[in-house]
């Protein structure tokens, strides 16, 4: 099994926005799980792999409060090290328009020496995903000058 858990993403909690984030996060999580499977196959001397039984878990948490005047988790009452007297000074907090989400994917992988139709070529998969996610292998060097 190969798994990948993506980073937490913040988006608006409208159904359309949440569906777009879910689709984008799921596609990226699938790509990174395939990338990891391809790296494992290459490291162990296999030509490729077969992926099956994909399971995706999309978790989302709606922020409980939203205050347009203060950043999330900034407590004005604690500003000077005093005890937490309350999260806000005034009654202007409202339900948050934001949701934090995270996607996890788990794929069953069979490593293969000989590939058949529908199997993943490990080298081609790594090459394709390096092009699709050029910054995923590490920081990009700043330009000279």
């Amino acid at each position: 099994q190969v798994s990948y858990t993506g980073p937490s993403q913040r988006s608006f909690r409208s159904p359309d926005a949440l569906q777009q984030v879910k689709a984008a996060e799921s596609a990226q999580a699938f790509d990174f799980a395939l990338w990891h499977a391809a790296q494992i196959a290459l490291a162990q001397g296999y030509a490729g792999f077969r992926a099956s039984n994909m399971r995706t878990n999309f978790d989302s948490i709606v922020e409980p409060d939203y205050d347009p005047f203060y950043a999330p988790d900034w407590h004005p009452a604690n500003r000077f090290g005093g005890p937490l007297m309350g999260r806000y000074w005034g009654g202007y907090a409202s339900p948050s328009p934001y949701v934090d989400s995270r996607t996890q994917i788990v794929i069953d992988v069979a490593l293969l020496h000989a590939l058949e139709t529908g199997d993943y070529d490990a080298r081609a998969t790594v090459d394709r995903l390096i092009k699709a996610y050029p910054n995923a292998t590490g920081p990009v060097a700043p330009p000279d000058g």
Side-chain angles (χ1 to χ4, degrees), residues 77-132:
N78 275 348
R79 186 168 56 170
F80 302 107
L84 181 62
M85 301 295 292
R87 186 164 180 165
Y88 302 99
W89 285 343
Y92 41 78
S94 61
S96 175
Y98 299 108
V99 64
D100 293 314
S101 60
R102 182 177 301 191
T103 300
Q104 179 187 38
I105 190 164
V106 179
I107 302 172
D108 291 342
V109 174
L111 301 178
L112 306 169
H113 287 293
L115 302 178
E116 296 178 9
T117 303
D119 294 339
Y120 290 92
D121 179 292
R123 174 56 46 206
T125 300
V126 168
D127 291 344
R128 176 180 64 84
L129 293 172
I130 284 175
K131 289 177 186 173

Side-chain angles (χ1 to χ4, degrees), residues 3-99:
S3 67
Y4 175 81
T5 301
S8 179
Q9 301 287 330
R10 187 176 196 208
S11 67
F12 287 108
R13 69 179 192 180
S14 72
D16 289 341
L18 199 56
Q19 188 61 32
Q20 289 175 356
V21 167
K22 184 176 182 178
E25 283 186 23
S26 295
Q28 184 181 42
F30 181 71
D31 283 348
F32 283 122
L34 287 180
W35 195 343
H36 187 55
Q39 290 172 324
I40 292 169
L42 290 173
Q44 294 187 11
Y46 289 88
F49 60 96
R50 181 174 299 134
S52 63
N53 197 20
M54 180 179 71
R55 293 153 327 267
T56 304
N57 183 28
F58 181 78
D59 289 325
S60 61
I61 299 172
V62 176
E63 293 179 3
D65 296 315
Y66 174 72
D67 186 339
F69 299 105
Y70 299 107
D73 297 326
W74 189 81
H75 304 282
N78 275 348
R79 186 168 56 170
F80 302 107
L84 181 62
M85 301 295 292
R87 186 164 180 165
Y88 302 99
W89 285 343
Y92 41 78
S94 61
S96 175
Y98 299 108
V99 64

